[in-house]
Amino acid sequence: MKHILERREWTRLNEAYFSKGSAFEKSKEKAIAIMSKLSEKGLSPVAAAAVVGNMFKESVFDPNARSPDGGYVGLCQWGGPRKAKLMAKPKWNTVDTQIDFIMDELATLTYFDKATQKKVLIKDAITNAATPEKAAELFARRYEVCADPTSEKRINGAKEIHDIYVSQIAAFTGPDSSADAMLDEPVP
């Protein structure tokens, strides 16, 4: 099944799903746009939600975010050589450039899985995670390499955006509908 909704469809369909107590309430437009862009780039809903939950924790979706000491920048708060590599890109401080940067890194970054004794692509690990919460933790540990990979803000953010996205796919398709056909139809 395709996991892509056009941005205007995603925005229109999800307005009702952001409750007053939502973690994303103040930045829902950005959460929706980023989830949509990550899905368009080929991430599964679980993997995209993991990235969005982590971005929410790291930068509240601000591509210009900087740590207090200036050592980390952007949506994912990149530091060191990764920060330098990002900042060398034209328009480095835009959401689109940073999403492309993430996707480029996810295509090649691996870690050694002790259980299987094999190298695993981080993208595969977050895609195959059983839950968005586990995917968010894996993304935080293996991609972000942060000090607080189980932060409630990142874990709950991933679960919330995933649940919103999946409920919209279900609402779009219904129990007897073809998801591909529904997602390919233009919105009136």
Side-chain angles (χ1 to χ4, degrees):
M1 174 170 76
K2 285 186 182 178
H3 302 292
I4 301 170
L5 293 175
E6 288 185 31
R7 218 168 277 119
R8 63 189 163 91
E9 295 168 6
W10 179 244
T11 302
R12 181 178 60 82
L13 292 170
N14 281 287
E15 287 298 318
Y17 285 85
F18 286 95
S19 62
K20 291 277 185 200
S22 167
F24 295 112
E25 184 178 357
K26 291 183 180 177
S27 50
K28 66 184 175 183
E29 299 294 326
K30 290 179 184 178
I32 289 166
I34 293 170
M35 182 74 180
S36 180
K37 286 176 188 239
L38 290 166
S39 294
E40 289 169 6
K41 298 277 183 184
L43 288 185
S44 70
V46 167
V51 176
V52 171
N54 275 277
M55 285 179 180
F56 183 60
K57 166 68 170 114
E58 296 296 331
S59 64
V60 193
F61 311 121
D62 180 2
N64 292 299
R66 292 181 184 267
S67 62
D69 66 0
Y72 299 91
V73 299
L75 294 168
C76 290
Q77 291 295 283
W78 291 279
R82 292 168 78 195
K83 172 186 169 186
K85 187 176 175 183
L86 171 67
M87 293 180 79
K89 295 187 173 295
K91 299 182 181 179
W92 73 267
N93 60 342
T94 66
V95 170
D96 287 336
T97 298
Q98 291 182 28
I99 286 174
D100 288 343
F101 187 75
I102 290 166
M103 295 305 295
D104 289 347
E105 286 196 322
L106 287 177
T108 60
L109 289 177
T110 61
Y111 70 95
F112 185 76
D113 184 352
K114 292 178 184 176
T116 63
Q117 295 292 302
K118 294 180 181 177
K119 282 187 177 181
V120 177
L121 271 174
I122 294 170
K123 181 180 178 182
D124 291 345
I126 63 174
T127 297
N128 296 324
T131 65
E133 297 94 329
K134 183 62 180 170
E137 181 184 346
L138 280 166
F139 187 82
R141 286 186 193 281
R142 304 299 184 187
Y143 182 85
E144 294 272 358
V145 192
C146 62
D148 61 348
T150 58
S151 154
E152 283 186 39
K153 189 173 183 180
R154 82 176 74 242
I155 302 300
N156 293 342
K159 180 177 179 359
E160 184 171 351
I161 195 69
H162 178 267
D163 290 351
I164 290 165
Y165 188 84
V166 169
S167 68
Q168 286 308 300
I169 295 291
F172 226 3
T173 60
D176 299 320
S177 302
S178 163
D180 287 340
M182 294 297 287
L183 291 175
D184 289 337
E185 289 180 8
V187 174

